[in-house]
Each structure stands twice: as structure tokens, then as C-alpha cells.
Amino acid sequence: MRRPLVLAAILSAALVPLLLMPTAALAGKPKGEYAVFNDCPLSTAGVTQCVYAQFSGGELALGSLKVPIAHTITLQGGLIVAGATETFVNTTEGQTLSPIAQEVPGGLLGLPGHGSENSAFSIAMELAGSVSLSRGNLAGETGTALKLPVKVHLKNVFLGEACFIGTATSPVVLNLTTGVTSPPKPNLPIHGSAGEHESKEGGNLVVYKNDAFVENAFSSPTPKGCGGIEESLIVPVLDSKYGWPSAAGHNTAILKGTSKFASAEAVKASE
């Protein structure tokens, strides 16, 4: 009589952790071509498309600060499609926009009393609002294909952890296009690209290779929260060095990479 009771107790102890695990942890993961869509918000009602874009090239220029995109930034989420309207849905797990730091060439110079050994300087774009994405505008190289509201995190040992250009309530808004921009002077129009279009998996997966999203008509405010108690000294130095705040016509964002769109049903079926 004891042996069955002991076995039952062992099985119960093994099953309890599984029962306590969240549903997402027990679910399967997309496979094959759909593996990159692992963080697609499939459980959100109405999501019919999954989005996965990686930007591994380009540039962010804020005033005279010019930073190449050398480390891959990932944008992922889903789309609720209702006729011609597409509503972007953030991931429920993982990061919708990965805040990957990009090194500033030459580092941070010009801060009084600080040596060059502490000049390591990087920036990271952090999502600060609702994303908008239009597959039609992307493919047609017209209008705004990707709207990204961001706050730009300025990172240096002397700037502290709260140094940002833009805020959650007043972000830097990038209205990126794969078409031609119409900036105020002195900036000149620049042309993005939808890249090379490829349809795979019976049309359930669409890829745009070597696409380029561009924007050079936005403004950039002065940074805030830099240097803690020394903010009143540090921010004017930054403004003077980099020309902040910089009005529209003095800033540029270029994001180059690959964008993938997949049917949510096909992603689920691959699990």
C-alpha cells in the first residue's frame, strides 16, 4: 500500500512546478523561418501579422553629433489589420525596440575637468510612445512607413543614468519613410528604399532585404537629467558642443536593415 502512495507523492511533486508555470512558458516556440517571431503578441486579440525588423546600419545625427548604427537594433511586435488600417501592437514579452547602445566616435570631449580616459560615450534609442507601421507605404516608398517616438539615452560615466534627449511625454518623433524626405533647409531631401522584396512560405512570409528608413525633418531638444547636481554646468557644455537644441533641418535618422512580416496563423502553426 505504501509504494503506490509514495509514487503518487513523487508524481505530484513533479507536476506542481509545471502547473504553476505561466502559459507562455508551456507553449511551443515558432520554428524554421518563423523562429524570429518568438515574441510576436499572438495572444493579443486581432493580431494577424507578426513583425520582425533588424537595423544594422545607418546613422543618427542630432545637431553636430553624428553616430553610426554599428550594433543591430531590433523592432518586433504584431499588426492588427482592419482594411487599410494597420495598428501596431507591442510585444507582451521581450522588447519591442531593443535599446542597443551605439558608440559615439571620438567619445565625449569638452566637459570641464574630465580627462579623455573617461570620455567613452554612447547613445541608445529607447521607445517612448506608440509605434506606427505601414506595410503599404514601406513597399510603395511613399509617406511615413515607420513612426518611432523615442528618447535618446546619452551614456557616459559623468552624465549619470538619467541623461536623455526627449522624454516619455515629449519624445523625439521619427517619421521614417522609404521614399523621399522633404526637410527644411539646410538639410536636403534624401531617399530611402524598400530594398529587395521576397515572398516565402507560400506568401505567409514577406521579407524586405536591404531596406532603408530615413527622416531628416525632425527637431531635437536639449538634454535633461545629465550629471546630477552638476546638470546646470554640464548641459550648457553639451548644448554648445553639439548644437542643441537643434531645429528641424539639422538632424537625420537613417535605419538600414531587413524587415520581415509573417502571417500570425503560420507562426502559430510552426510551433
Side-chain angles (χ1 to χ4, degrees):
M1 291 292 292
R2 289 183 180 179
R3 186 172 296 174
L5 291 174
V6 171
L7 289 174
I10 292 173
L11 287 173
S12 296
L15 287 172
V16 166
L18 292 175
L19 294 173
L20 294 177
M21 289 176 69
T23 304
L26 295 173
K29 293 185 177 181
K31 298 177 180 62
E33 292 274 11
Y34 300 108
V36 296
F37 300 102
N38 185 56
D39 288 326
C40 180
L42 296 171
S43 61
T44 301
V47 169
T48 58
Q49 289 286 316
C50 296
V51 179
Y52 187 83
Q54 288 194 307
F55 307 115
S56 53
E59 178 187 68
L60 182 64
L62 304 173
S64 63
L65 178 71
K66 293 178 172 57
V67 186
I69 305 300
H71 305 289
T72 302
I73 299 169
T74 300
L75 172 71
Q76 56 186 338
L79 289 175
I80 296 174
V81 182
T85 302
E86 296 179 312
T87 302
F88 189 91
V89 179
N90 289 353
T91 60
T92 51
E93 296 182 19
Q95 295 173 320
T96 299
L97 182 70
S98 59
I100 303 300
Q102 312 291 332
E103 287 82 13
V104 176
L108 179 67
L109 302 175
L111 291 182
H114 300 320
S116 59
E117 69 275 8
N118 294 313
S119 68
F121 186 26
S122 65
I123 67 169
M125 290 190 295
E126 300 183 6
L127 193 61
S130 299
V131 177
S132 295
L133 192 152
S134 169
R135 291 176 297 166
N137 286 353
L138 190 168
E141 297 186 346
T142 183
T144 299
L146 175 63
K147 179 181 177 181
L148 273 183
V150 299
K151 53 182 184 176
V152 181
H153 197 172
L154 308 180
K155 299 186 175 185
N156 171 270
V157 65
F158 295 109
L159 299 181
E161 291 300 316
C163 185
F164 287 90
I165 292 178
T167 66
T169 55
S170 184
V172 176
V173 180
L174 305 178
N175 291 300
L176 296 145
T177 183
T178 53
V180 182
T181 64
S182 300
K185 293 182 178 180
N187 278 355
L188 298 174
I190 55 177
H191 203 307
S193 173
E196 298 110 40
H197 172 272
E198 184 179 5
S199 181
K200 307 171 75 173
E201 300 289 319
N204 287 314
L205 175 63
V206 176
V207 181
Y208 294 89
K209 294 181 179 178
N210 301 314
D211 53 12
F213 296 82
V214 298
E215 149 77 301
N216 62 349
F218 65 97
S219 61
S220 176
T222 188
K224 293 182 178 180
C226 307
I229 61 173
E230 294 184 356
E231 180 172 7
S232 61
L233 298 175
I234 289 178
V235 169
V237 174
L238 293 173
D239 288 347
S240 176
K241 180 173 178 60
Y242 297 115
W244 299 332
S246 51
H250 296 267
N251 312 288
T252 300
I254 301 173
L255 300 176
K256 297 179 178 180
T258 297
S259 301
K260 297 182 178 182
F261 303 91
S263 158
E265 286 302 317
V267 174
K268 290 179 184 178
S270 76
E271 295 179 348

